[in-house]
Amino acid sequence: MVDYELLKKIVEAPGVSGYEFLGVRDVVIEAFKDHVDEIKVDKLGNVIAHKKGDGPKVMLAAHMDQIGLMVTHIEKNGFLRVAPIGGVDPRTLIAQRFKVWIGKDKFIYGVGGSVPPHIQKPEDRKKAPDWDQVFIDIGAESKEEAEEMGVRIGTIITWDGRLERLGKHRLVSIAFDDRIAVYTLVETARKLSETNADIYFVATVQEEVGLRGARTSAFGIDPDYGFAIDVTIAADVPGTPEHKQVTQLGKGTAIKIMDRSVICHPTIVRWMEELAKKYEIPYQWDILLGGGTDAGAIHLNKAGVPTGAVSVPSRYIHSNAEVVDERDVDAGVELMVKVLEHIHELKI
């Protein structure tokens, strides 16, 4: 069972790419402080939690940024025009509630809108809205009123989402991509027992806009081995053929073989499989033809880093209602703990 209160703090804290300091960074630092020897924030904003050892230098990365919006223009009648930060589909904005961040720990509410279908031409109703057709309504009646409310060009916006239980084993929340992996990172540090590894738990920034935090932090750490933790697609829903589902909820942690950013080191992939079998940890395979993870930046660091990855299967990624199975989360934590406890046995 997941630590619901800790997870709630992590997923609900704001932190769009480049603006992780708005909330999530402080939550992550607080969560790590009792489980590592030292914590620092580097120049780009990555949180690096170091558990010292005299063995192999290992970097575990999970990105703490989330997708979101930025205000690009304020209309004369007070509506906000926005641009995406990360992979936001404009269809996911319509009739949704948002938080418009006018300061740290300070926000106003907004609603996503577009031209009502009732007054559209029949041919336009068949088309998905684009960024020129969507806006955020904050209740202002003028540009001046919007500015008086604290909105500026460059203001950051997130969905108004929260963590809830869904059925017996499932959870639904905003920002499981990738806060569920940040939670995995923290729980791995908490449950880790004997290991001689020199471990760097890194909550990275700006993954959603190009794996940027992983690139700079890997350069600074220069690890012997790298592991990324992220979500992957669980398309186990009606209408998706089995061979295109990628992963399924409740079937265990997903050991990544490849995605668009990385081909994981085959020796690490098979070694992780052996650990999962030895300790009876449920697992499945992750081959994702679209999208990437921090592993893509880590494995290309300097002269190259042998890198693996585990993924948490998630439905409805990049929305305000992503769904995971806590049994898969627990399996991922257990596998990463065993990886670190046995890392001295890995020979590449």
Side-chain angles (χ1 to χ4, degrees):
M1 298 286 287
V2 301
D3 182 335
Y4 190 86
E5 292 306 314
L6 173 59
L7 181 58
K8 185 176 180 66
K9 291 178 182 178
I10 293 174
V11 298
E12 294 184 4
V16 172
S17 303
Y19 291 80
E20 295 84 0
F21 62 86
L22 281 177
V24 69
R25 187 171 73 189
D26 291 344
V27 172
V28 170
I29 292 172
E30 178 68 21
F32 267 121
K33 71 176 186 179
D34 294 330
H35 311 302
V36 296
D37 297 310
E38 62 181 12
I39 300 174
K40 73 173 185 178
V41 177
D42 70 11
K43 292 180 180 179
L44 203 64
N46 299 296
V47 174
I48 302 175
H50 186 194
K51 189 175 180 64
K52 297 179 180 179
D54 57 6
K57 187 187 294 186
V58 186
M59 174 180 173
L60 274 68
H63 70 89
M64 61 179 168
D65 61 313
Q66 65 188 120
I67 61 171
L69 307 171
M70 178 181 284
V71 176
T72 59
H73 178 73
I74 305 174
E75 298 279 0
K76 292 180 180 179
N77 55 2
F79 292 97
L80 310 181
R81 295 291 186 172
V82 294
I85 298 180
V88 183
D89 187 332
R91 291 176 296 182
T92 61
L93 273 61
I94 308 303
Q96 297 295 316
R97 299 186 183 197
F98 290 88
K99 290 180 177 179
V100 181
W101 294 92
I102 57 175
K104 189 171 182 179
D105 300 321
K106 188 176 182 181
F107 63 88
I108 58 176
Y109 286 107
V111 177
S114 185
V115 176
H118 313 76
I119 59 175
Q120 290 180 353
K121 295 178 181 179
E123 59 270 23
D124 291 335
R125 296 176 193 167
K126 300 176 182 179
K127 302 175 183 177
D130 61 28
W131 288 101
D132 288 333
Q133 298 170 310
V134 296
F135 49 80
I136 302 296
D137 182 351
I138 59 171
E141 297 182 47
S142 66
K143 178 180 180 180
E144 291 74 19
E145 184 179 353
E147 291 175 338
E148 289 172 2
M149 295 168 72
V151 179
R152 300 289 184 270
I153 302 302
T155 291
I156 294 300
I157 302 175
T158 62
W159 279 276
D160 178 22
R162 61 187 184 275
L163 177 67
E164 299 283 0
R165 292 200 176 275
L166 193 68
K168 187 176 181 180
H169 296 293
R170 308 282 163 80
L171 301 165
V172 58
S173 179
I174 185 177
F176 272 153
D177 181 9
D178 191 32
R179 305 290 177 72
I180 194 65
V182 174
Y183 169 85
T184 299
L185 208 64
V186 173
E187 285 294 279
T188 299
R190 184 176 73 86
K191 295 184 177 182
L192 186 61
S193 56
E194 293 300 320
T195 179
N196 70 332
D198 191 34
I199 307 169
Y200 293 81
F201 300 95
V202 186
T204 62
V205 298
Q206 300 191 44
E207 188 271 354
E208 295 288 2
V209 291
L211 317 183
R212 298 171 186 176
R215 186 176 305 278
T216 59
S217 56
F219 188 90
I221 294 168
D222 193 18
D224 298 311
Y225 301 109
F227 294 89
I229 309 171
D230 210 318
V231 296
T232 191
I233 293 172
D236 54 341
V237 297
T240 306
E242 186 175 357
H243 71 282
K244 291 186 177 181
Q245 292 182 6
V246 186
T247 61
Q248 299 178 12
L249 294 192
K251 300 297 184 181
T253 189
I255 300 174
K256 185 176 291 293
I257 296 176
M258 66 167 284
D259 59 33
R260 194 171 60 188
S261 70
V262 66
I263 298 173
C264 291
H265 198 292
T267 300
I268 292 180
V269 171
R270 296 306 167 190
W271 177 70
M272 292 175 74
E273 180 188 20
E274 291 170 4
L275 285 175
K277 288 180 177 179
K278 179 179 179 179
Y279 291 99
E280 299 181 342
I281 301 169
Y283 72 95
Q284 52 191 313
W285 295 117
D286 178 17
I287 298 178
L288 185 62
L289 301 182
T293 71
D294 280 339
I298 296 169
H299 85 290
L300 294 176
N301 184 61
K302 295 187 178 180
V305 179
T307 300
V310 296
S311 303
V312 181
S314 178
R315 294 177 184 159
Y316 325 123
I317 288 173
H318 283 201
S319 76
N320 69 330
E322 301 173 355
V323 175
V324 303
D325 190 304
E326 62 182 344
R327 294 170 296 185
D328 300 335
V329 180
D330 290 341
V333 172
E334 187 176 356
L335 181 57
M336 291 314 303
V337 168
K338 295 305 178 185
V339 162
L340 294 176
E341 290 178 350
H342 292 269
I343 195 71
H344 62 282
E345 301 170 4
L346 180 59
K347 306 298 181 184
I348 296 179

